PDB file of all heavy atoms in Angstrom:
ATOM      1  N   MET A1021      -2.759   5.607  45.696  1.00 39.00           N
ATOM      2  CA  MET A1021      -2.101   4.403  45.298  1.00 39.00           C
ATOM      3  C   MET A1021      -3.129   3.364  44.871  1.00 39.00           C
ATOM      4  O   MET A1021      -2.872   2.604  44.099  1.00 39.00           O
ATOM      5  CB  MET A1021      -1.219   3.806  46.491  1.00 39.00           C
ATOM      6  CG  MET A1021       0.075   4.791  46.788  1.00 39.00           C
ATOM      7  SD  MET A1021       1.190   4.588  45.237  1.00 39.00           S
ATOM      8  CE  MET A1021       1.700   2.978  45.421  1.00 39.00           C
ATOM      9  N   HIS A1022      -4.140   3.285  45.636  1.00 40.00           N
ATOM     10  CA  HIS A1022      -5.111   2.224  45.380  1.00 40.00           C
ATOM     11  C   HIS A1022      -5.811   2.479  44.005  1.00 40.00           C
ATOM     12  O   HIS A1022      -6.055   1.465  43.190  1.00 40.00           O
ATOM     13  CB  HIS A1022      -6.309   2.377  46.431  1.00 40.00           C
ATOM     14  CG  HIS A1022      -7.366   1.296  46.161  1.00 40.00           C
ATOM     15  ND1 HIS A1022      -7.219  -0.102  46.354  1.00 40.00           N
ATOM     16  CD2 HIS A1022      -8.682   1.433  45.757  1.00 40.00           C
ATOM     17  CE1 HIS A1022      -8.264  -0.763  46.131  1.00 40.00           C
ATOM     18  NE2 HIS A1022      -9.215   0.182  45.695  1.00 40.00           N
ATOM     19  N   GLY A1023      -6.058   3.761  43.597  1.00 41.00           N
ATOM     20  CA  GLY A1023      -6.481   4.031  42.314  1.00 41.00           C
ATOM     21  C   GLY A1023      -5.700   3.617  41.309  1.00 41.00           C
ATOM     22  O   GLY A1023      -6.047   2.990  40.283  1.00 41.00           O
ATOM     23  N   ALA A1024      -4.245   3.961  41.435  1.00 40.00           N
ATOM     24  CA  ALA A1024      -3.350   3.506  40.491  1.00 40.00           C
ATOM     25  C   ALA A1024      -3.300   1.965  40.312  1.00 40.00           C
ATOM     26  O   ALA A1024      -3.115   1.438  39.071  1.00 40.00           O
ATOM     27  CB  ALA A1024      -1.932   4.099  40.885  1.00 40.00           C
ATOM     28  N   ASP A1025      -3.315   1.316  41.460  1.00 42.00           N
ATOM     29  CA  ASP A1025      -3.317  -0.175  41.353  1.00 42.00           C
ATOM     30  C   ASP A1025      -4.519  -0.743  40.633  1.00 42.00           C
ATOM     31  O   ASP A1025      -4.473  -1.706  39.755  1.00 42.00           O
ATOM     32  CB  ASP A1025      -3.346  -0.765  42.759  1.00 42.00           C
ATOM     33  CG  ASP A1025      -1.991  -0.526  43.498  1.00 42.00           C
ATOM     34  OD1 ASP A1025      -1.037  -0.235  42.791  1.00 42.00           O
ATOM     35  OD2 ASP A1025      -1.965  -0.671  44.743  1.00 42.00           O
ATOM     36  N   THR A1026      -5.718  -0.029  40.815  1.00 39.00           N
ATOM     37  CA  THR A1026      -6.924  -0.476  40.092  1.00 39.00           C
ATOM     38  C   THR A1026      -6.761  -0.345  38.624  1.00 39.00           C
ATOM     39  O   THR A1026      -7.047  -1.112  37.792  1.00 39.00           O
ATOM     40  CB  THR A1026      -8.056   0.337  40.589  1.00 39.00           C
ATOM     41  OG1 THR A1026      -8.270   0.075  41.976  1.00 39.00           O
ATOM     42  CG2 THR A1026      -9.412  -0.128  39.843  1.00 39.00           C
ATOM     43  N   ASP A1027      -6.256   0.865  38.190  1.00 40.00           N
ATOM     44  CA  ASP A1027      -6.005   1.141  36.804  1.00 40.00           C
ATOM     45  C   ASP A1027      -5.039   0.114  36.110  1.00 40.00           C
ATOM     46  O   ASP A1027      -5.272  -0.427  35.033  1.00 40.00           O
ATOM     47  CB  ASP A1027      -5.377   2.489  36.485  1.00 40.00           C
ATOM     48  CG  ASP A1027      -6.411   3.522  36.877  1.00 40.00           C
ATOM     49  OD1 ASP A1027      -7.587   3.258  36.938  1.00 40.00           O
ATOM     50  OD2 ASP A1027      -5.980   4.760  36.996  1.00 40.00           O
ATOM     51  N   THR A1028      -3.923  -0.230  36.883  1.00 41.00           N
ATOM     52  CA  THR A1028      -2.993  -1.315  36.410  1.00 41.00           C
ATOM     53  C   THR A1028      -3.649  -2.582  36.152  1.00 41.00           C
ATOM     54  O   THR A1028      -3.474  -3.318  35.306  1.00 41.00           O
ATOM     55  CB  THR A1028      -1.710  -1.261  37.245  1.00 41.00           C
ATOM     56  OG1 THR A1028      -1.232  -0.050  37.430  1.00 41.00           O
ATOM     57  CG2 THR A1028      -0.759  -2.316  36.726  1.00 41.00           C
ATOM     58  N   SER A1029      -4.500  -2.931  37.147  1.00 42.00           N
ATOM     59  CA  SER A1029      -5.199  -4.254  37.170  1.00 42.00           C
ATOM     60  C   SER A1029      -6.108  -4.397  35.894  1.00 42.00           C
ATOM     61  O   SER A1029      -6.121  -5.405  35.199  1.00 42.00           O
ATOM     62  CB  SER A1029      -5.996  -4.459  38.303  1.00 42.00           C
ATOM     63  OG  SER A1029      -6.743  -5.663  38.351  1.00 42.00           O
ATOM     64  N   VAL A1030      -6.796  -3.286  35.601  1.00 47.00           N
ATOM     65  CA  VAL A1030      -7.718  -3.235  34.422  1.00 47.00           C
ATOM     66  C   VAL A1030      -6.931  -3.470  33.211  1.00 47.00           C
ATOM     67  O   VAL A1030      -7.245  -4.238  32.265  1.00 47.00           O
ATOM     68  CB  VAL A1030      -8.582  -1.916  34.383  1.00 47.00           C
ATOM     69  CG1 VAL A1030      -9.246  -1.831  33.059  1.00 47.00           C
ATOM     70  CG2 VAL A1030      -9.508  -1.920  35.625  1.00 47.00           C
ATOM     71  N   GLN A1031      -5.769  -2.761  33.068  1.00 66.00           N
ATOM     72  CA  GLN A1031      -4.908  -2.833  31.828  1.00 66.00           C
ATOM     73  C   GLN A1031      -4.322  -4.241  31.852  1.00 66.00           C
ATOM     74  O   GLN A1031      -4.217  -4.701  30.686  1.00 66.00           O
ATOM     75  CB  GLN A1031      -3.815  -1.718  32.008  1.00 66.00           C
ATOM     76  CG  GLN A1031      -4.323  -0.297  31.879  1.00 66.00           C
ATOM     77  CD  GLN A1031      -3.215   0.655  32.156  1.00 66.00           C
ATOM     78  OE1 GLN A1031      -2.050   0.339  32.286  1.00 66.00           O
ATOM     79  NE2 GLN A1031      -3.572   1.951  32.222  1.00 66.00           N
ATOM     80  N   ARG A1032      -3.962  -4.833  32.901  1.00 73.00           N
ATOM     81  CA  ARG A1032      -3.399  -6.213  32.831  1.00 73.00           C
ATOM     82  C   ARG A1032      -4.324  -7.208  32.337  1.00 73.00           C
ATOM     83  O   ARG A1032      -4.126  -7.958  31.427  1.00 73.00           O
ATOM     84  CB  ARG A1032      -2.945  -6.522  34.224  1.00 73.00           C
ATOM     85  CG  ARG A1032      -2.530  -7.994  34.364  1.00 73.00           C
ATOM     86  CD  ARG A1032      -2.128  -8.354  35.809  1.00 73.00           C
ATOM     87  NE  ARG A1032      -1.858  -9.687  36.022  1.00 73.00           N
ATOM     88  CZ  ARG A1032      -2.631 -10.733  36.170  1.00 73.00           C
ATOM     89  NH1 ARG A1032      -4.058 -10.384  36.231  1.00 73.00           N
ATOM     90  NH2 ARG A1032      -2.308 -12.013  36.383  1.00 73.00           N
ATOM     91  N   GLU A1033      -5.655  -7.050  32.724  1.00 73.00           N
ATOM     92  CA  GLU A1033      -6.620  -8.091  32.355  1.00 73.00           C
ATOM     93  C   GLU A1033      -6.905  -7.834  30.786  1.00 73.00           C
ATOM     94  O   GLU A1033      -7.206  -8.680  30.077  1.00 73.00           O
ATOM     95  CB  GLU A1033      -7.981  -7.904  33.119  1.00 73.00           C
ATOM     96  CG  GLU A1033      -8.982  -8.890  32.726  1.00 73.00           C
ATOM     97  CD  GLU A1033     -10.128  -9.100  33.783  1.00 73.00           C
ATOM     98  OE1 GLU A1033      -9.903  -8.915  34.971  1.00 73.00           O
ATOM     99  OE2 GLU A1033     -11.310  -9.197  33.391  1.00 73.00           O
ATOM    100  N   GLU A1034      -7.040  -6.481  30.403  1.00 73.00           N
ATOM    101  CA  GLU A1034      -7.329  -6.222  28.939  1.00 73.00           C
ATOM    102  C   GLU A1034      -6.188  -6.924  28.134  1.00 73.00           C
ATOM    103  O   GLU A1034      -6.516  -7.462  27.065  1.00 73.00           O
ATOM    104  CB  GLU A1034      -7.491  -4.707  28.668  1.00 73.00           C
ATOM    105  CG  GLU A1034      -8.654  -4.172  29.340  1.00 73.00           C
ATOM    106  CD  GLU A1034      -8.816  -2.670  29.200  1.00 73.00           C
ATOM    107  OE1 GLU A1034      -7.815  -2.035  28.838  1.00 73.00           O
ATOM    108  OE2 GLU A1034      -9.911  -2.064  29.463  1.00 73.00           O
ATOM    109  N   LEU A1035      -4.957  -6.652  28.605  1.00 80.00           N
ATOM    110  CA  LEU A1035      -3.818  -7.175  27.755  1.00 80.00           C
ATOM    111  C   LEU A1035      -3.851  -8.586  27.720  1.00 80.00           C
ATOM    112  O   LEU A1035      -3.573  -9.341  26.617  1.00 80.00           O
ATOM    113  CB  LEU A1035      -2.597  -6.593  28.331  1.00 80.00           C
ATOM    114  CG  LEU A1035      -1.206  -7.046  27.612  1.00 80.00           C
ATOM    115  CD1 LEU A1035      -1.193  -6.735  26.208  1.00 80.00           C
ATOM    116  CD2 LEU A1035      -0.063  -6.515  28.326  1.00 80.00           C
ATOM    117  N   LEU A1036      -4.120  -9.194  28.893  1.00 79.00           N
ATOM    118  CA  LEU A1036      -4.157 -10.826  28.818  1.00 79.00           C
ATOM    119  C   LEU A1036      -5.226 -11.289  27.969  1.00 79.00           C
ATOM    120  O   LEU A1036      -5.070 -12.430  27.315  1.00 79.00           O
ATOM    121  CB  LEU A1036      -4.293 -11.215  30.310  1.00 79.00           C
ATOM    122  CG  LEU A1036      -3.071 -11.133  31.184  1.00 79.00           C
ATOM    123  CD1 LEU A1036      -3.387 -11.447  32.693  1.00 79.00           C
ATOM    124  CD2 LEU A1036      -1.953 -12.083  30.754  1.00 79.00           C
ATOM    125  N   ARG A1037      -6.434 -10.605  27.982  1.00 77.00           N
ATOM    126  CA  ARG A1037      -7.509 -11.023  27.049  1.00 77.00           C
ATOM    127  C   ARG A1037      -7.004 -10.920  25.602  1.00 77.00           C
ATOM    128  O   ARG A1037      -7.294 -11.904  24.765  1.00 77.00           O
ATOM    129  CB  ARG A1037      -8.685 -10.221  27.335  1.00 77.00           C
ATOM    130  CG  ARG A1037      -9.465 -10.524  28.586  1.00 77.00           C
ATOM    131  CD  ARG A1037     -10.785  -9.681  28.653  1.00 77.00           C
ATOM    132  NE  ARG A1037     -11.473  -9.867  29.883  1.00 77.00           N
ATOM    133  CZ  ARG A1037     -12.333 -10.928  29.996  1.00 77.00           C
ATOM    134  NH1 ARG A1037     -12.619 -11.716  28.937  1.00 77.00           N
ATOM    135  NH2 ARG A1037     -13.003 -11.140  31.120  1.00 77.00           N
ATOM    136  N   LEU A1038      -6.298  -9.866  25.332  1.00 78.00           N
ATOM    137  CA  LEU A1038      -5.722  -9.804  23.900  1.00 78.00           C
ATOM    138  C   LEU A1038      -4.822 -10.934  23.587  1.00 78.00           C
ATOM    139  O   LEU A1038      -4.796 -11.524  22.513  1.00 78.00           O
ATOM    140  CB  LEU A1038      -5.119  -8.468  23.700  1.00 78.00           C
ATOM    141  CG  LEU A1038      -5.975  -7.252  23.583  1.00 78.00           C
ATOM    142  CD1 LEU A1038      -5.088  -5.929  23.634  1.00 78.00           C
ATOM    143  CD2 LEU A1038      -6.840  -7.240  22.445  1.00 78.00           C
ATOM    144  N   ILE A1039      -4.011 -11.258  24.548  1.00 84.00           N
ATOM    145  CA  ILE A1039      -3.035 -12.376  24.381  1.00 84.00           C
ATOM    146  C   ILE A1039      -3.690 -13.708  24.198  1.00 84.00           C
ATOM    147  O   ILE A1039      -3.506 -14.486  23.308  1.00 84.00           O
ATOM    148  CB  ILE A1039      -2.120 -12.513  25.581  1.00 84.00           C
ATOM    149  CG1 ILE A1039      -1.211 -11.232  25.585  1.00 84.00           C
ATOM    150  CG2 ILE A1039      -1.241 -13.790  25.513  1.00 84.00           C
ATOM    151  CD1 ILE A1039      -0.280 -11.140  26.833  1.00 84.00           C
ATOM    152  N   LEU A1040      -4.767 -13.974  24.960  1.00 76.00           N
ATOM    153  CA  LEU A1040      -5.588 -15.168  24.748  1.00 76.00           C
ATOM    154  C   LEU A1040      -6.185 -15.320  23.457  1.00 76.00           C
ATOM    155  O   LEU A1040      -6.187 -16.318  22.743  1.00 76.00           O
ATOM    156  CB  LEU A1040      -6.670 -15.197  25.905  1.00 76.00           C
ATOM    157  CG  LEU A1040      -6.328 -15.330  27.343  1.00 76.00           C
ATOM    158  CD1 LEU A1040      -7.335 -15.444  28.286  1.00 76.00           C
ATOM    159  CD2 LEU A1040      -5.259 -16.489  27.595  1.00 76.00           C
ATOM    160  N   CYS A1041      -6.821 -14.102  22.942  1.00 78.00           N
ATOM    161  CA  CYS A1041      -7.442 -14.174  21.646  1.00 78.00           C
ATOM    162  C   CYS A1041      -6.338 -14.360  20.559  1.00 78.00           C
ATOM    163  O   CYS A1041      -6.642 -15.102  19.532  1.00 78.00           O
ATOM    164  CB  CYS A1041      -8.164 -12.869  21.380  1.00 78.00           C
ATOM    165  SG  CYS A1041      -9.594 -12.670  22.549  1.00 78.00           S
ATOM    166  N   GLN A1042      -5.234 -13.801  20.730  1.00 80.00           N
ATOM    167  CA  GLN A1042      -4.162 -13.965  19.717  1.00 80.00           C
ATOM    168  C   GLN A1042      -3.570 -15.393  19.675  1.00 80.00           C
ATOM    169  O   GLN A1042      -3.480 -15.946  18.594  1.00 80.00           O
ATOM    170  CB  GLN A1042      -3.101 -12.999  19.977  1.00 80.00           C
ATOM    171  CG  GLN A1042      -1.958 -12.882  18.831  1.00 80.00           C
ATOM    172  CD  GLN A1042      -2.579 -12.094  17.525  1.00 80.00           C
ATOM    173  OE1 GLN A1042      -2.945 -10.994  17.698  1.00 80.00           O
ATOM    174  NE2 GLN A1042      -2.578 -12.747  16.540  1.00 80.00           N
ATOM    175  N   LEU A1043      -3.415 -15.968  20.812  1.00 77.00           N
ATOM    176  CA  LEU A1043      -2.941 -17.387  20.872  1.00 77.00           C
ATOM    177  C   LEU A1043      -3.978 -18.210  20.161  1.00 77.00           C
ATOM    178  O   LEU A1043      -3.705 -19.225  19.478  1.00 77.00           O
ATOM    179  CB  LEU A1043      -2.778 -17.844  22.295  1.00 77.00           C
ATOM    180  CG  LEU A1043      -1.550 -17.224  22.975  1.00 77.00           C
ATOM    181  CD1 LEU A1043      -1.577 -17.609  24.449  1.00 77.00           C
ATOM    182  CD2 LEU A1043      -0.255 -17.787  22.371  1.00 77.00           C
ATOM    183  N   THR A1044      -5.336 -18.024  20.454  1.00 73.00           N
ATOM    184  CA  THR A1044      -6.419 -18.883  19.838  1.00 73.00           C
ATOM    185  C   THR A1044      -6.313 -18.684  18.284  1.00 73.00           C
ATOM    186  O   THR A1044      -6.503 -19.477  17.512  1.00 73.00           O
ATOM    187  CB  THR A1044      -7.693 -18.456  20.357  1.00 73.00           C
ATOM    188  OG1 THR A1044      -7.767 -18.659  21.827  1.00 73.00           O
ATOM    189  CG2 THR A1044      -8.907 -19.364  19.830  1.00 73.00           C
ATOM    190  N   GLU A1045      -6.109 -17.421  17.834  1.00 69.00           N
ATOM    191  CA  GLU A1045      -6.053 -17.129  16.466  1.00 69.00           C
ATOM    192  C   GLU A1045      -4.921 -17.890  15.759  1.00 69.00           C
ATOM    193  O   GLU A1045      -5.103 -18.283  14.653  1.00 69.00           O
ATOM    194  CB  GLU A1045      -5.942 -15.623  16.248  1.00 69.00           C
ATOM    195  CG  GLU A1045      -5.691 -15.145  14.759  1.00 69.00           C
ATOM    196  CD  GLU A1045      -6.963 -15.318  13.854  1.00 69.00           C
ATOM    197  OE1 GLU A1045      -8.037 -15.546  14.495  1.00 69.00           O
ATOM    198  OE2 GLU A1045      -6.892 -15.086  12.648  1.00 69.00           O
ATOM    199  N   TYR A1046      -3.804 -17.904  16.488  1.00 70.00           N
ATOM    200  CA  TYR A1046      -2.765 -18.749  15.814  1.00 70.00           C
ATOM    201  C   TYR A1046      -2.762 -20.220  15.971  1.00 70.00           C
ATOM    202  O   TYR A1046      -1.940 -20.961  15.548  1.00 70.00           O
ATOM    203  CB  TYR A1046      -1.368 -18.302  16.654  1.00 70.00           C
ATOM    204  CG  TYR A1046      -0.866 -16.900  16.266  1.00 70.00           C
ATOM    205  CD1 TYR A1046       0.037 -16.154  17.143  1.00 70.00           C
ATOM    206  CD2 TYR A1046      -1.249 -16.284  15.116  1.00 70.00           C
ATOM    207  CE1 TYR A1046       0.409 -14.917  16.833  1.00 70.00           C
ATOM    208  CE2 TYR A1046      -0.922 -15.001  14.706  1.00 70.00           C
ATOM    209  CZ  TYR A1046      -0.030 -14.347  15.625  1.00 70.00           C
ATOM    210  OH  TYR A1046       0.440 -13.037  15.281  1.00 70.00           O
ATOM    211  N   GLY A1047      -3.919 -20.675  16.544  1.00 67.00           N
ATOM    212  CA  GLY A1047      -4.183 -22.236  16.718  1.00 67.00           C
ATOM    213  C   GLY A1047      -3.696 -22.767  17.973  1.00 67.00           C
ATOM    214  O   GLY A1047      -3.584 -24.034  18.079  1.00 67.00           O
ATOM    215  N   TYR A1048      -3.270 -21.928  18.898  1.00 72.00           N
ATOM    216  CA  TYR A1048      -2.695 -22.548  20.204  1.00 72.00           C
ATOM    217  C   TYR A1048      -3.877 -22.400  21.217  1.00 72.00           C
ATOM    218  O   TYR A1048      -3.691 -21.754  22.358  1.00 72.00           O
ATOM    219  CB  TYR A1048      -1.581 -21.692  20.637  1.00 72.00           C
ATOM    220  CG  TYR A1048      -0.414 -21.675  19.644  1.00 72.00           C
ATOM    221  CD1 TYR A1048       0.016 -20.583  19.120  1.00 72.00           C
ATOM    222  CD2 TYR A1048       0.285 -22.868  19.403  1.00 72.00           C
ATOM    223  CE1 TYR A1048       1.082 -20.552  18.198  1.00 72.00           C
ATOM    224  CE2 TYR A1048       1.164 -22.951  18.429  1.00 72.00           C
ATOM    225  CZ  TYR A1048       1.755 -21.774  17.843  1.00 72.00           C
ATOM    226  OH  TYR A1048       2.761 -21.745  16.936  1.00 72.00           O
ATOM    227  N   GLY A1049      -4.935 -23.147  20.953  1.00 71.00           N
ATOM    228  CA  GLY A1049      -6.136 -23.019  21.889  1.00 71.00           C
ATOM    229  C   GLY A1049      -5.782 -23.609  23.244  1.00 71.00           C
ATOM    230  O   GLY A1049      -6.229 -23.058  24.241  1.00 71.00           O
ATOM    231  N   ASN A1050      -5.047 -24.800  23.324  1.00 67.00           N
ATOM    232  CA  ASN A1050      -4.740 -25.354  24.551  1.00 67.00           C
ATOM    233  C   ASN A1050      -3.786 -24.423  25.378  1.00 67.00           C
ATOM    234  O   ASN A1050      -3.930 -24.375  26.643  1.00 67.00           O
ATOM    235  CB  ASN A1050      -4.046 -26.759  24.368  1.00 67.00           C
ATOM    236  CG  ASN A1050      -4.992 -27.739  23.708  1.00 67.00           C
ATOM    237  OD1 ASN A1050      -6.165 -27.626  23.898  1.00 67.00           O
ATOM    238  ND2 ASN A1050      -4.395 -28.772  23.064  1.00 67.00           N
ATOM    239  N   LEU A1051      -2.863 -23.813  24.658  1.00 75.00           N
ATOM    240  CA  LEU A1051      -1.967 -22.921  25.510  1.00 75.00           C
ATOM    241  C   LEU A1051      -2.781 -21.736  25.976  1.00 75.00           C
ATOM    242  O   LEU A1051      -2.442 -21.232  27.076  1.00 75.00           O
ATOM    243  CB  LEU A1051      -0.870 -22.435  24.562  1.00 75.00           C
ATOM    244  CG  LEU A1051       0.199 -21.402  25.096  1.00 75.00           C
ATOM    245  CD1 LEU A1051       0.871 -21.978  26.299  1.00 75.00           C
ATOM    246  CD2 LEU A1051       1.262 -21.037  24.016  1.00 75.00           C
ATOM    247  N   SER A1052      -3.696 -21.207  25.198  1.00 73.00           N
ATOM    248  CA  SER A1052      -4.593 -20.084  25.569  1.00 73.00           C
ATOM    249  C   SER A1052      -5.290 -20.427  26.875  1.00 73.00           C
ATOM    250  O   SER A1052      -5.449 -19.637  27.758  1.00 73.00           O
ATOM    251  CB  SER A1052      -5.527 -19.811  24.448  1.00 73.00           C
ATOM    252  OG  SER A1052      -6.310 -18.660  24.838  1.00 73.00           O
ATOM    253  N   GLN A1053      -5.768 -21.664  26.917  1.00 72.00           N
ATOM    254  CA  GLN A1053      -6.568 -22.219  28.057  1.00 72.00           C
ATOM    255  C   GLN A1053      -5.667 -22.258  29.264  1.00 72.00           C
ATOM    256  O   GLN A1053      -6.089 -21.822  30.424  1.00 72.00           O
ATOM    257  CB  GLN A1053      -7.167 -23.483  27.839  1.00 72.00           C
ATOM    258  CG  GLN A1053      -7.923 -24.152  28.905  1.00 72.00           C
ATOM    259  CD  GLN A1053      -9.187 -23.305  29.295  1.00 72.00           C
ATOM    260  OE1 GLN A1053     -10.050 -23.180  28.445  1.00 72.00           O
ATOM    261  NE2 GLN A1053      -9.183 -22.698  30.486  1.00 72.00           N
ATOM    262  N   ALA A1054      -4.431 -22.737  29.021  1.00 74.00           N
ATOM    263  CA  ALA A1054      -3.510 -22.814  30.132  1.00 74.00           C
ATOM    264  C   ALA A1054      -3.126 -21.432  30.705  1.00 74.00           C
ATOM    265  O   ALA A1054      -2.967 -21.248  31.955  1.00 74.00           O
ATOM    266  CB  ALA A1054      -2.130 -23.539  29.725  1.00 74.00           C
ATOM    267  N   VAL A1055      -2.916 -20.472  29.871  1.00 79.00           N
ATOM    268  CA  VAL A1055      -2.576 -19.100  30.255  1.00 79.00           C
ATOM    269  C   VAL A1055      -3.746 -18.568  31.111  1.00 79.00           C
ATOM    270  O   VAL A1055      -3.587 -17.908  32.073  1.00 79.00           O
ATOM    271  CB  VAL A1055      -2.192 -18.279  29.099  1.00 79.00           C
ATOM    272  CG1 VAL A1055      -2.131 -16.792  29.552  1.00 79.00           C
ATOM    273  CG2 VAL A1055      -0.866 -18.699  28.339  1.00 79.00           C
ATOM    274  N   ALA A1056      -4.993 -18.732  30.594  1.00 75.00           N
ATOM    275  CA  ALA A1056      -6.148 -18.210  31.333  1.00 75.00           C
ATOM    276  C   ALA A1056      -6.246 -18.886  32.637  1.00 75.00           C
ATOM    277  O   ALA A1056      -6.636 -18.149  33.636  1.00 75.00           O
ATOM    278  CB  ALA A1056      -7.392 -18.662  30.493  1.00 75.00           C
ATOM    279  N   THR A1057      -5.917 -20.225  32.766  1.00 74.00           N
ATOM    280  CA  THR A1057      -6.016 -20.758  34.056  1.00 74.00           C
ATOM    281  C   THR A1057      -5.040 -20.241  34.984  1.00 74.00           C
ATOM    282  O   THR A1057      -5.252 -20.079  36.200  1.00 74.00           O
ATOM    283  CB  THR A1057      -5.902 -22.335  33.969  1.00 74.00           C
ATOM    284  OG1 THR A1057      -6.869 -22.828  33.032  1.00 74.00           O
ATOM    285  CG2 THR A1057      -5.945 -23.047  35.221  1.00 74.00           C
ATOM    286  N   HIS A1058      -3.784 -20.149  34.501  1.00 77.00           N
ATOM    287  CA  HIS A1058      -2.734 -19.692  35.325  1.00 77.00           C
ATOM    288  C   HIS A1058      -2.830 -18.261  35.856  1.00 77.00           C
ATOM    289  O   HIS A1058      -2.546 -17.873  36.964  1.00 77.00           O
ATOM    290  CB  HIS A1058      -1.337 -19.862  34.621  1.00 77.00           C
ATOM    291  CG  HIS A1058      -0.116 -19.456  35.441  1.00 77.00           C
ATOM    292  ND1 HIS A1058       0.313 -20.222  36.379  1.00 77.00           N
ATOM    293  CD2 HIS A1058       0.639 -18.348  35.301  1.00 77.00           C
ATOM    294  CE1 HIS A1058       1.378 -19.640  36.907  1.00 77.00           C
ATOM    295  NE2 HIS A1058       1.545 -18.486  36.350  1.00 77.00           N
TER     296      HIS A1058
END
Side-chain angles (χ1 to χ4, degrees):
M1021 289 296 292
H1022 179 71
D1025 290 343
T1026 301
D1027 290 343
T1028 302
S1029 176
V1030 171
Q1031 294 173 7
R1032 173 182 176 275
E1033 182 165 327
E1034 289 176 351
L1035 179 57
L1036 286 170
R1037 285 184 182 276
L1038 289 171
I1039 292 173
L1040 296 180
C1041 292
Q1042 190 72 59
L1043 287 172
T1044 305
E1045 174 71 10
Y1046 288 159
Y1048 301 118
N1050 291 336
L1051 180 57
S1052 179
Q1053 180 65 65
V1055 173
T1057 300
H1058 182 75

